[in-house]
């Protein structure tokens, strides 16, 4: 009886405490929202009327496009929005220049190339760019590549200059699985479709090594060429600097890659001196929020963005963050909505994806073909990665642009499973399978290996998908099927290589894609256009209301789960479990974007 009352009153206390925590959580979130609204109202017209120098901190990780999470507005400005904001600032007489805090360790080559292009355009409009680095401490050249076109590059005098080249690390699990009695069973089309190798091999295959060395070399060559142009140096001189790294700050200055040595405060003072000392620094996100774009009733170009793995259905974004995905339903509906809108003259699709579900990729492919049939030109802008399923959805577009460093192609198929029967035996766990119907009912069982007929049936299924994929590319790109079969086989290419192969039409960034859309839609070069996102972005208030359409208990639970999900060991385990559990045929690459 005593235990009953302890349990009873303990439950009551637990409910009370849980309710108090829930209320506090709700008050905190409401207070944060109100504070944000009040602060926004207070600073609505707070942009200085004197000369402004925009500030851009590249040390912050940025998504390519805005997050769809209700709290995505609190994230750093996306790469696409940085480009759009700088474009707007080019014609704003109040904006004199840009001050950048450089990334010290490296970033995605595609992001670096996009930002370098934005800096080039900004300077061409008569604005200056000053960059300060508290060291280029990483061995990747991409952090420097992003800002090499600045008017001035400052480096803290006690820091180092260590960019040396490009590197990529691949983890092979074959030996681990063997040690624990697990049997990875995968089929791949073909030898370059190396995502399966990470499960089945203990080292690079010849094809895997060849492709990796090829795209790393292509990225490195691109970076060296552009850096040499930006700094007025010979390519051989730039290579010599990188390949003899590391260097002191003083040595990097003598070699012509750094202009000034000093701390960030000195760089900021020198920057303000360029505008007579009376200017003001304004964060680029604040400028983006408060600088009202000029009103226009010009023609509309739709912008549809997708980043992350391609999945069936909707993205399923958590209100509390998580990995971005491309939902087949979500993206195809956005494309069709834009295609059916009489005001839309063209559609730009921004892709940053390693691929994913073959079914979802084909669903988006079909939506693009419908949009073209409706008379809307479709232009694809590739970001850092548009491989496998990411390339599948680009193939039917009227025009495809990529950065020189974009990882693309990977035209291939893979799928399989990891059999854990031996692993279970090691720990005394027994799992028995009972099935009815055909033999294929147990094809994806983790307790038993494929029979010969199951493996043959699964391979035939993938062969059919591979035939569809290569034919889609041949039709979309206007290439002979024989040629596509030569350059497919799952191989990853850079954008520079893909241009030579006919897989893309132009090397260019986001602004180039919008310009291509203008031309294909027959819009006059001097006419202002309106770039409209499909679907429309939610305001912070709408996001808040949508979030609290669920109960406060759900919000509290989600917050706790989010903290748990952010633990690195949990994320790694879930990633491996998710990839092993993909039973459908996959158009996916595990090629890591080097940084």
């Amino acid at each position: 009886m005593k235990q009953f009352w302890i349990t009873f009153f303990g439950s009551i206390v637990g409910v009370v405490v849980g309710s108090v925590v829930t209320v506090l959580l709700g008050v905190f979130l409401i207070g944060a929202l109100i504070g944000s609204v009040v602060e926004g109202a207070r600073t609505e017209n707070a942009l200085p009327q004197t000369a402004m120098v925009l500030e851009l901190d590249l040390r912050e990780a940025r998504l390519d496009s805005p997050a769809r999470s209700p709290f995505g507005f609190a994230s750093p400005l996306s790469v696409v929005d940085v480009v759009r904001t700088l474009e707007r600032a080019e014609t704003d007489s109040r904006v004199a220049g840009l001050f950048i805090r450089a990334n010290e360790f490296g970033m995605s080559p595609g992001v670096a190339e996009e930002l370098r292009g934005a800096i080039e355009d900004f300077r061409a409009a008569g604005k200056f760019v000053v960059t300060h680095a508290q060291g280029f401490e990483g061995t990747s050249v991409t952090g420097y590549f992003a800002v090499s076109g600045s008017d001035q590059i400052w480096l803290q005098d006690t820091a180092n200059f260590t960019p040396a080249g490009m590197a990529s690390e691949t983890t092979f699990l074959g030996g681990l699985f063997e040690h624990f009695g697990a049997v990875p069973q995968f089929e791949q089309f073909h030898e370059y479709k190396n995502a399966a190798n990470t499960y089945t091999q203990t080292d690079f295959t010849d094809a895997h090594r060849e492709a990796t060395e090829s795209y790393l070399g292509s990225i490195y060559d691109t970076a060296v060429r552009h850096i040499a142009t930006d700094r007025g140096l010979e390519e051989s001189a730039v290579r010599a600097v990188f390949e003899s790294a590391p260097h002191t700050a003083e040595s990097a200055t003598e070699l012509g890659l750094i202009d000034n040595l000093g701390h960030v405060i000195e760089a900021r003072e020198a920057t303000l001196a360029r505008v007579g000392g009376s200017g003001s620094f304004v964060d680029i996100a604040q400028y983006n929020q408060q600088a009202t774009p000029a009103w226009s009733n010009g023609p509309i170009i739709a912008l549809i963005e997708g980043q992350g793995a391609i999945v069936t259905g909707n993205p399923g974004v958590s209100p509390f963050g998580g990995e971005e995905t491309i939902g087949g339903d979500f993206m195809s509906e956005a494309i069709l909505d834009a295609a059916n809108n009489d005001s839309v003259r063209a559609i730009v699709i921004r892709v940053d994806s390693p691929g994913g579900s073959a079914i979802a990729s084909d669903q988006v492919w079909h939506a693009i073909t419908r949009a073209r049939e409706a008379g809307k030109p479709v232009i694809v802008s590739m970001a850092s990665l548009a491989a496998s399923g990411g390339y599948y959805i680009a193939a039917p577009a009227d025009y495809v642009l990529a950065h020189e460093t974009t990882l693309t192609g990977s035209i291939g198929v893979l799928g399989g499973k990891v059999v854990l029967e031996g692993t279970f035996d090691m720990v005394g766990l027994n799992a028995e399978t009972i099935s009815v119907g055909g033999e294929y009912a147990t094809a994806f069982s983790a307790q038993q290996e494929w029979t010969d007929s199951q493996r043959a049936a699964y391979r035939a299924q993938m062969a059919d998908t591979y035939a569809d994929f290569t034919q889609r590319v041949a039709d979309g790109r206007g290439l002979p099927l024989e040629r596509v079969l030569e350059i497919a086989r799952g191989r990853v290419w850079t954008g520079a290589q893909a241009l030579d192969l006919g897989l893309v039409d132009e090397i260019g960034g986001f602004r180039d894609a919008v310009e291509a859309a203008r031309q294909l839609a027959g819009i006059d070069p001097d006419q202002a256009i309106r770039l409209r996102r499909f679907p429309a972005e939610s305001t912070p208030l709408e996001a808040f209301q949508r979030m609290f359409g669920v109960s406060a208990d759900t919000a509290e639970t989600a917050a706790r789960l989010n903290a748990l999900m952010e633990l690195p060991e949990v994320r790694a385990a879930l990633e491996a479990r998710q990839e092993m559990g993909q039973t459908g045929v996959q158009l996916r690459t595990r090629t890591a974007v080097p940084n």
Side-chain angles (χ1 to χ4, degrees):
M1 190 68 178
K2 177 181 179 182
Q3 183 61 41
F4 168 80
W5 289 112
I6 291 174
T7 303
F8 176 76
F9 285 110
S11 299
I12 294 176
V13 171
V15 170
V16 172
V17 171
S19 300
V20 170
V21 171
T22 299
V23 171
L24 289 176
L25 176 65
V27 170
F28 170 79
L29 291 172
I30 293 172
L33 178 66
I34 293 173
S36 175
V37 172
V38 171
E39 178 65 16
R42 185 180 67 83
T43 61
E44 183 176 0
N45 298 308
L47 287 180
Q49 298 305 306
T50 56
M52 286 186 285
V53 177
L54 303 184
E55 288 191 279
L56 173 62
D57 194 339
L58 297 183
R59 299 171 300 175
E60 301 175 300
R62 297 174 187 272
L63 293 172
D64 184 70
S65 302
R68 284 190 292 268
S69 165
F71 290 132
F73 64 88
S75 302
L77 207 59
S78 71
V79 174
V80 167
D81 281 338
V82 167
V83 173
R84 295 182 65 187
T85 303
L86 290 178
E87 181 181 13
R88 188 195 315 168
E90 289 172 9
T91 56
D92 188 339
S93 60
R94 298 172 300 170
V95 176
L98 174 67
F99 183 78
I100 299 175
R101 300 294 300 274
N103 187 294
E104 301 160 28
F105 298 100
M107 61 182 70
S108 157
V111 172
E113 191 174 353
E114 184 77 71
L115 293 172
R116 178 191 171 274
I119 290 171
E120 185 177 38
D121 292 335
F122 191 74
R123 289 185 63 200
K127 316 287 185 176
F128 67 81
V129 178
V130 175
T131 292
H132 184 273
Q134 288 185 288
F136 289 102
E137 302 291 330
T139 59
S140 170
V141 302
T142 54
Y144 184 82
F145 176 35
V147 298
S148 60
S150 305
D151 291 276
Q152 285 188 347
I153 302 178
W154 287 66
L155 180 63
Q156 188 167 314
D157 55 359
T158 53
N160 298 299
F161 187 90
T162 61
M166 298 296 303
S168 176
E169 291 186 352
T170 301
T171 300
F172 294 95
L173 301 174
L176 178 68
F177 286 152
E178 183 179 0
H179 181 75
F180 287 102
V183 180
Q185 293 190 304
F186 283 84
E187 292 290 334
Q188 59 199 99
F189 284 71
H190 285 282
E191 71 272 21
Y192 291 103
K193 197 66 179 175
N194 54 50
N197 296 351
T198 60
Y199 299 116
T200 61
Q201 304 295 322
T202 59
D203 197 357
F204 286 101
T205 63
D206 291 343
H208 193 173
R209 183 179 299 277
E210 174 197 351
T212 303
E213 290 177 346
S214 176
Y215 71 68
L216 284 177
S218 178
I219 293 170
Y220 180 58
D221 290 345
T222 295
V224 167
R225 186 176 69 256
H226 287 301
I227 289 169
T229 299
D230 292 338
R231 300 303 299 175
L233 300 170
E234 295 293 328
E235 288 185 36
S236 58
V238 175
R239 289 181 187 276
V241 172
F242 291 151
E243 292 166 19
S244 60
H247 300 280
T248 64
E250 291 78 10
S251 176
T253 305
E254 293 169 1
L255 292 167
L257 294 181
I258 298 298
D259 299 298
N260 300 91
L261 298 180
H263 284 267
V264 63
I265 185 63
E266 296 172 297
R268 289 170 65 88
E269 289 170 349
T271 300
L272 287 184
R274 295 179 71 114
V275 292
S278 60
S280 302
F281 288 105
V282 176
D283 185 83
I284 193 168
Q286 180 188 357
Y287 178 82
N288 176 64
Q289 293 171 353
Q290 298 178 3
T292 305
W295 182 87
S296 170
N297 64 346
I300 295 172
I301 293 178
L303 172 59
I304 298 169
E305 297 152 300
Q307 55 193 332
I310 302 171
V311 299
T312 55
N314 288 314
V317 176
S318 164
F320 296 93
E323 297 294 328
E324 294 285 318
T325 57
I326 300 174
D329 287 354
F330 187 85
M331 177 169 268
S332 60
E333 288 169 8
I335 293 169
L336 294 175
D337 285 346
N340 295 328
N341 189 316
D342 293 336
S343 300
V344 171
R345 298 281 296 276
I347 300 172
V348 172
I349 300 177
R350 178 77 167 184
V351 178
D352 190 16
S353 172
S357 164
I359 295 172
S361 299
D362 193 65
Q363 180 182 11
V364 177
W365 177 92
H366 183 254
I368 292 174
T369 61
R370 292 286 295 267
R372 292 185 62 191
E373 290 169 359
K376 303 295 171 69
V378 178
I379 296 83
V380 167
S381 171
M382 294 180 174
S384 294
L385 182 65
S388 205
Y391 186 76
Y392 192 111
I393 64 179
D398 291 277
Y399 204 71
V400 180
L401 299 92
H403 297 298
E404 290 185 73
T405 58
T406 298
L407 296 183
T408 188
S410 191
I411 302 167
V413 185
L414 76 128
K417 65 179 182 177
V418 178
V419 181
L420 299 174
E421 183 180 16
T423 309
F424 293 164
D425 289 343
M426 294 177 67
V427 296
L429 175 65
N430 181 45
E432 295 289 343
T433 301
I434 297 178
S435 67
V436 297
E439 182 185 6
Y440 202 70
T442 59
F444 297 108
S445 169
Q447 278 70 53
Q448 59 190 53
E449 297 183 33
W450 280 323
T451 65
D452 290 343
S453 62
Q454 284 176 335
R455 185 158 207 153
Y458 188 61
R459 184 169 179 82
Q461 181 185 8
M462 288 202 301
D464 185 59
T465 302
Y466 183 69
D468 287 341
F469 193 173
T470 51
Q471 189 63 59
R472 295 281 200 245
V473 173
D475 294 342
R477 299 301 306 160
L479 294 170
L481 179 59
E482 295 75 15
R483 177 57 175 158
V484 174
L485 293 173
E486 290 175 5
I487 61 180
R489 310 189 69 81
R491 179 159 180 167
V492 175
W493 308 95
T494 63
Q497 295 168 329
L499 179 66
D500 293 336
L501 297 170
L503 296 177
V504 303
D505 297 296
E506 182 183 336
I507 296 299
F510 177 75
R511 288 181 63 175
D512 300 302
V514 174
E515 183 58 31
R518 175 198 290 276
Q519 294 177 10
L520 289 176
I523 301 172
D524 189 279
D526 298 324
Q527 187 174 10
I529 60 171
R530 288 178 288 168
L531 202 59
R532 179 181 297 175
R533 281 188 162 109
F534 279 74
E537 293 180 276
S538 300
T539 66
L541 182 58
E542 290 170 338
F544 182 84
Q545 290 172 331
R546 184 167 63 248
M547 173 187 167
F548 280 90
V550 299
S551 68
D553 286 341
T554 303
E556 178 190 11
T557 302
R560 291 175 176 176
L561 285 175
N562 182 67
L564 178 64
M565 296 287 284
E566 290 302 314
L567 294 174
E569 58 270 29
V570 174
R571 294 180 69 86
L574 288 175
E575 180 182 354
R577 176 66 183 87
Q578 179 182 4
E579 293 194 2
M580 292 179 192
Q582 295 286 350
T583 56
V585 177
Q586 293 290 299
L587 307 180
R588 183 188 297 269
T589 177
R590 274 187 62 88
T591 299
V593 178
N595 56 35

